[in-house]
Amino acid sequence: MSRILAAVDAGTYYHHESLYGARFAGAFDAVIYAPHLPNADLSSIDILLITCRTDPAVLAPAAQNLQRFVAGGGTLVAMGSTGPHSWLPGVSWTDTPTNFWWWKEGGELGLIAASPHDRFFEYVPLNNAIWHHHGAFAPPPGAVSLIEARGLGSVLYLDQVSLAPGTLLITALDPFYHHGSHFMPATTRFISGFLPFLRDDPRFGRCHSPR
Amino acid sequence: MSPEGLTHCVFLKAIKGAGGDLPAVIDRYPSAREIDHYTLHECDLSSVRAILLPAHLDQRYFGEIAGVIADFIQRGGRIVFNGHVAWPMLPELQKFVPLPSNSLQNLMVTRLSSHMVFEGVTDADLTFRRGVAGFYARGHNPPPPGALLINGVGPERLPCDWVLTKPSGGEILCHAGNDLWMYIDDQTTAGRIVPQLIAWAGRP
């Protein structure tokens, strides 16, 4: 049974390019306009992706609907700069100064695979996840951190505990913003692996969750 | 508010509280204020001279209230648009055309006409940030007939910045890139953009 993957469109140019543009056209079964989220019927959706940089102020009024979706067995993916700490329970976030220039200063970003044998990395090699991030999360007990910023916290984690039986996938990475801005090819490669990962991995989607 | 108590420049509040917030232009300029994104259509614009739109604009919303904006321009108001045109909004804004490739040659910025906002700003300081090209523009929003072409990108000088002056006196300044106010603390000649932009947008 194939999963219904939906994405949120906040009306920005980069969401337009990422969700309707030629590169990923057809990758999403449905698109929901962000201001419509509080009253949107999410019951037929298996995986809902909150696209990078959707304003937390627009998402906060939809908090109840989104949490109900996950508690009903859905998978919610909160991409970078969507402020999930302000509309999901148990999300702990710390802002950090963004180092846009590590690659020019001869250093490294300090991202490491926290669960290197996870299937995620078969779809998204770590190199395709490295550009920058604006902060890090402290995952709750029982969550699985996939990518960490050394010494700061997680930048991508999987939480099947907080709103069980549903799943939260929370990341500080913002590939849809940069892909949609025609900026940084690694972000396009990230999405190219990430969307099939969401469709294939047995941990996601309602069809594999207790109802 | 300005000394005479009037707001001249209204900034639409961009995404906040999600990490990576920029310094607020409104803290530096008394004639500028910020309003919530989705209140623009009900805002009293009678004393406002310019509406400055962030690249994070909800273009679907902005397209829905295009009538309000067209009336504002018809009364002599100015619009500063940043970003890539994706959704139907004003008839003067045509869909963004990306560069065919992001080669260095394609990313070079060239001044095409002098303009108050870019006075004293060098092409090199727009093309490069810390020696890296590509932050300024990755393509262009095709200008309407009669627009003054300000900056071009690539060997074909594709107009990434242009300004259209309407018969009413209203103006649309269009920049096909990140918010021009990201240069607020820039230490190069690009640091001239923000004060000159506020002066241009807020002039009588």
Side-chain angles (χ1 to χ4, degrees), chain B residues 99-151:
Chain B
L99 293 169
S101 86
N102 293 324
S103 66
L104 176 58
Q105 197 188 23
N106 279 344
L107 296 169
M108 299 288 280
V109 179
T110 307
R111 180 71 32 79
L112 302 175
S113 310
S114 60
H115 189 271
M116 183 176 161
V117 172
F118 294 93
E119 202 177 304
V121 181
T122 68
D123 292 349
D125 288 340
L126 294 183
T127 301
F128 299 102
R129 294 194 86 188
R130 299 182 62 176
V132 179
F135 288 93
Y136 194 72
R138 297 265 167 157
H140 75 295
N141 299 314
L148 176 74
L149 311 184
I150 303 173
N151 290 309

Side-chain angles (χ1 to χ4, degrees), chain A residues 142-146 156-160 167-170 203-204:
Chain A
V144 177
S145 180
L146 296 174
L156 176 65
Y157 73 88
L158 183 65
D159 175 4
Q160 298 189 288
T167 298
L168 299 172
L169 190 61
I170 310 279
R203 290 169 290 188
F204 304 138

Side-chain angles (χ1 to χ4, degrees), chain A residues 34 44 67 85 100 118 127 169 174 178 180 182 199:
Chain A
S44 63
Q67 291 175 32
H85 51 288
F100 294 104
D118 194 280
N127 270 342
L169 190 61
D174 56 356
H178 294 289
H182 304 275
R199 287 202 182 269

Side-chain angles (χ1 to χ4, degrees), chain A residues 9 11 14 33 101 104-105, chain B residues 19 56 58-60 84 130:
Chain A
D9 170 17
Y14 43 91
Y33 181 42
W101 299 101
K104 197 167 160 45
E105 291 164 348
Chain B
H56 295 287
D58 179 346
Q59 298 187 1
R60 293 175 68 163
H84 305 170
R130 299 182 62 176

Side-chain angles (χ1 to χ4, degrees), chain A residues 36-50:
Chain A
H36 294 166
L37 265 179
N39 300 312
D41 177 3
L42 306 177
S43 59
S44 63
I45 295 167
D46 297 304
I47 303 169
L48 179 61
L49 185 139
I50 309 292

Side-chain angles (χ1 to χ4, degrees), chain B residues 57-74:
Chain B
L57 178 70
D58 179 346
Q59 298 187 1
R60 293 175 68 163
Y61 164 72
F62 194 69
E64 282 170 15
I65 65 160
V68 173
I69 304 306
D71 288 348
F72 174 73
I73 297 169
Q74 183 60 32

Side-chain angles (χ1 to χ4, degrees), chain B residues 26-190:
Chain B
I26 52 156
D27 293 343
R28 317 266 180 100
Y29 295 93
S31 67
R33 80 181 155 105
E34 197 171 54
I35 62 166
D36 282 339
H37 212 98
Y38 296 99
T39 61
L40 178 59
H41 65 285
E42 55 195 22
C43 180
D44 176 11
L45 297 172
S46 54
S47 73
V48 173
R49 293 172 182 164
I51 300 168
L52 296 95
L53 304 165
H56 295 287
L57 178 70
D58 179 346
Q59 298 187 1
R60 293 175 68 163
Y61 164 72
F62 194 69
E64 282 170 15
I65 65 160
V68 173
I69 304 306
D71 288 348
F72 174 73
I73 297 169
Q74 183 60 32
R75 294 196 305 272
R78 300 184 187 98
I79 297 291
V80 177
F81 179 90
N82 295 279
H84 305 170
V85 175
W87 289 88
M89 293 176 279
L90 300 167
E92 295 85 357
L93 297 176
Q94 296 299 310
K95 204 159 186 224
F96 178 76
V97 179
L99 293 169
S101 86
N102 293 324
S103 66
L104 176 58
Q105 197 188 23
N106 279 344
L107 296 169
M108 299 288 280
V109 179
T110 307
R111 180 71 32 79
L112 302 175
S113 310
S114 60
H115 189 271
M116 183 176 161
V117 172
F118 294 93
E119 202 177 304
V121 181
T122 68
D123 292 349
D125 288 340
L126 294 183
T127 301
F128 299 102
R129 294 194 86 188
R130 299 182 62 176
V132 179
F135 288 93
Y136 194 72
R138 297 265 167 157
H140 75 295
N141 299 314
L148 176 74
L149 311 184
I150 303 173
N151 290 309
V153 64
E156 293 177 56
R157 314 276 196 263
L158 299 165
C160 55
D161 297 325
W162 50 261
V163 63
L164 179 72
T165 305
K166 305 276 286 184
S168 65
E171 293 176 284
I172 300 171
L173 175 64
C174 182
H175 165 57
N178 275 333
D179 297 341
L180 284 171
W181 41 96
M182 72 183 275
Y183 289 103
I184 187 160
D185 289 322
D186 199 275
Q187 298 302 303
T188 73
T189 62

